[in-house]
Amino acid sequence: MWVLMYVFSYSVSPAATNDRAEWRLLPTVVFQEFSNEERCRAAKSALERSLGDAGAKLRSGLEDLKTIGKADPTQIIIAYNVECLPK
């Protein structure tokens, strides 16, 4: 049995907002079991591609907002980690 563990978090620079509650959100952790390593690694690969694509779209949108003076992409930090672990 294998477990796919996915951890996602983001934080906002204190310079971007005065609301301290928005500075750091608690990470989201998700687990899913797989019957073998190959299936787990396939799911891991698909999830990493999806997260990478989502991050690129977010970055692009923030860059568009930056050009009109409404956002600064450097103020937001997004992190994720995806692992396949034997159970």
Side-chain angles (χ1 to χ4, degrees):
M1 187 68 68
W2 285 77
V3 175
L4 176 71
M5 182 180 75
Y6 156 60
V7 181
F8 175 83
S9 68
Y10 79 87
S11 60
V12 178
S13 167
T17 179
N18 290 328
D19 185 355
R20 289 176 184 248
E22 292 182 9
W23 288 1
R24 174 85 177 154
L25 293 181
L26 295 174
T28 300
V29 181
V30 178
F31 297 94
Q32 183 171 352
E33 292 185 354
F34 290 87
S35 57
N36 62 54
E37 182 178 10
E38 183 178 321
R39 291 178 60 123
C40 187
R41 295 215 180 274
K44 177 183 188 280
S45 180
L47 184 56
E48 287 175 328
R49 274 194 310 276
S50 178
L51 290 170
D53 291 346
K57 287 177 185 176
L58 177 60
R59 239 184 327 276
S60 174
L62 288 171
E63 287 295 338
D64 291 346
L65 289 172
K66 182 179 180 180
T67 61
I68 60 173
K70 297 293 183 184
D72 184 354
T74 61
Q75 301 295 331
I76 299 174
I77 300 166
I78 299 172
Y80 66 86
N81 185 37
V82 183
E83 293 294 333
C84 279
L85 306 167
K87 184 174 177 184

